[in-house]
Structure formats: C-alpha cells, structure tokens
Amino acid sequence: GENVEQHPSTLSVQEGDSAVIKCTYSDSASNYFPWYKQELGKGPQLIIDIRSNVGEKKDQRIAVTLNKTAKHFSLHITETQPEDSAVYFCAASSGGSEKLVFGKGTKLTVNP
Amino acid sequence: EPEVTQTPSHQVTQMGQEVILRCVPISNHLYFYWYRQILGQKVEFLVSFYNNEISEKSEIFDDQFSVERPDGSNFTLKIRSTKLEDSAMYFCASLRSGASNEQFFGPGTRLTVL
C-alpha cells in the first residue's frame, strides 16, 4: 500500500523567512496530493492541493510542487507569519473518494 | 461556512467499555470517513462509508469497530470493547462527491482509555 514520508518533523523559522516541507510517496497510482494545516484543538484543514497532471500550484504565499518521476512533493510558504505556526500534514491518494494516506506531520514555528 | 462537527470533544472510558463517537458531516456530502491519530503518530485511515455501506476499511478496523449512519445527519463510530491502545484522537471527515477531492475534517474526539 501507499506510504508517505514527511520531513522535517519540526521546523523553526523567523518571521518573513520561507519554509519548505517535503514529502515522498511510494505508490505510482497516487494522483492527488493535499496539504493540511492543523491548529491546536482543531481538525486538519486543507490549505492547498495538487493533482499529478500539474507540476506546480500557487495560492498567494503558499505553493506546492510535484515531481511525479521522483515521487516527491513539497510545500513552500513564503513571507511566513506567526499565524502560520501549526502542524502541517501532507497526504496522498489515488483521487476521488479514495482514502488519504498521511505523512507524520511537520510542526512549524514562526518566531516573531 | 458548513463544517463537520464531532461530539464529544473528549471521552474518557474504562478498558472493556463500549464507546460511540458521533459526527455530523456536511449536509450535502455523500462520502464519510473515520481516521485516527495516536499521539505523536500519523493520521491513519480507519474506514470509508458510502451509500449506507462500508467502502473500504483498514487493518485497524477489526470486529471491535463498527460504523453507522442511523439517520440523515449523524455518522457514528462504535468501539465495542475498548483497549488501552485505542486511546487516540478520532477524526471524522466528509466528501461532497466522487468527482471532488477535498475531504473536510471535523475537530476530532480525543478518546482516553484507562
């Protein structure tokens, strides 16, 4: 079955710096890769996603890149702000209604 | 904005007891899921549910677990005889349709088995 690895497990940056979180997946049938943000006491919330027919997607300060050949995808956050501090999860699925397979999460801390 | 809700937020139970975790998915969604997260570990898939039946279940989802959609709004996860290792955060999620991708997650129920 699918296995998703995520690095780093913790990341601390200064406000205004960029943050990059990387994930790899194992199943070439996976074609949907969402990123979720989880704040304390809340459930995961989708922040951006990408399908395998696209190499990059951007939404304001957040971007995701996908290298299908290498089976890895990354989350890029630019101009980080303290409110970006949270746990970020990557996930993979074969799309549609299929289950999500999650990475272990990255705790991002943005220091003012 | 519509959201998935879960009750209770925290459930403490004794080993061997039955628990029912409740979820109200977003009203026009058709697919429902349960995931769990043991402290410090990955969010793991438990079960998916569509058209009043289980679509897929993981190895974790053994005979002690069951799901039900008793009415048009609730989606429940029952653990018949809880074990210490069932202690985790349980998340419910829903998906609008098979053509969509975004699963919306609830805030979770923290289950503590003593």
Side-chain angles (χ1 to χ4, degrees):
Chain A
E2 176 64 277
N3 182 49
V4 177
E5 297 292 335
Q6 183 172 347
H7 300 279
S9 55
T10 60
L11 180 59
S12 183
V13 300
Q14 288 300 121
E15 184 177 359
D17 287 351
S18 294
V20 180
I21 303 170
K22 299 183 179 183
C23 288
T24 60
Y25 63 99
S26 61
D27 189 350
S28 56
S30 291
N31 61 14
Y32 174 65
F33 306 94
W35 285 88
Y36 283 83
K37 177 183 181 182
Q38 186 179 24
E39 296 177 66
L40 205 60
K42 297 184 179 180
Q45 283 199 303
L46 182 74
I47 55 170
I48 196 166
D49 57 11
I50 193 167
R51 295 189 64 91
S52 60
N53 57 352
V54 175
E56 183 174 358
K57 185 176 177 181
K58 192 172 180 181
D59 183 3
Q60 299 183 335
R61 296 185 298 108
I62 294 172
V64 56
T65 58
L66 171 65
N67 184 327
K68 198 177 173 186
T69 304
K71 295 198 187 75
H72 66 71
F73 56 112
S74 301
L75 177 71
H76 305 253
I77 306 174
T78 58
E79 300 170 27
T80 53
Q81 300 165 3
E83 50 266 38
D84 294 330
S85 296
V87 178
Y88 291 81
F89 293 97
C90 63
S93 113
S94 52
S97 60
E98 295 301 312
K99 68 183 183 220
L100 296 173
V101 178
F102 283 87
K104 202 170 177 180
T106 296
K107 183 176 181 182
L108 174 64
T109 303
V110 180
N111 301 300
Chain B
E1 185 174 329
E3 58 183 16
V4 177
T5 59
Q6 290 185 243
T7 55
S9 56
H10 191 190
Q11 173 92 47
V12 181
T13 190
Q14 295 290 326
M15 189 169 57
Q17 294 296 304
E18 175 183 288
V19 294
I20 297 176
L21 310 183
R22 301 180 192 280
C23 168
V24 179
I26 296 173
S27 63
N28 62 348
H29 285 197
L30 302 176
Y31 295 82
F32 314 109
Y33 308 82
W34 283 101
Y35 293 83
R36 80 171 186 189
Q37 184 181 28
I38 295 172
L39 190 64
Q41 297 187 24
K42 294 184 178 186
V43 176
E44 302 172 289
F45 168 78
L46 292 178
V47 65
S48 58
F49 191 86
Y50 170 70
N51 200 26
N52 283 320
E53 60 183 29
I54 290 174
S55 308
E56 185 179 357
K57 58 184 180 180
S58 72
E59 292 173 352
I60 304 166
F61 195 89
D62 62 22
D63 292 344
Q64 293 300 312
F65 291 86
S66 63
V67 289
E68 196 177 31
R69 187 153 162 83
D71 52 43
S73 59
N74 290 284
F75 180 51
T76 61
L77 174 69
K78 182 193 289 187
I79 309 175
R80 286 189 187 78
S81 178
T82 49
K83 307 183 189 70
L84 295 176
E85 53 265 36
D86 293 328
S87 295
M89 182 72 89
Y90 288 80
F91 293 106
C92 171
S94 69
L95 176 76
R96 185 166 56 85
S97 73
S100 174
N101 286 293
E102 182 178 355
Q103 293 184 23
F104 290 79
F105 281 77
T109 292
R110 179 167 297 284
L111 176 65
T112 302
V113 182
L114 302 176

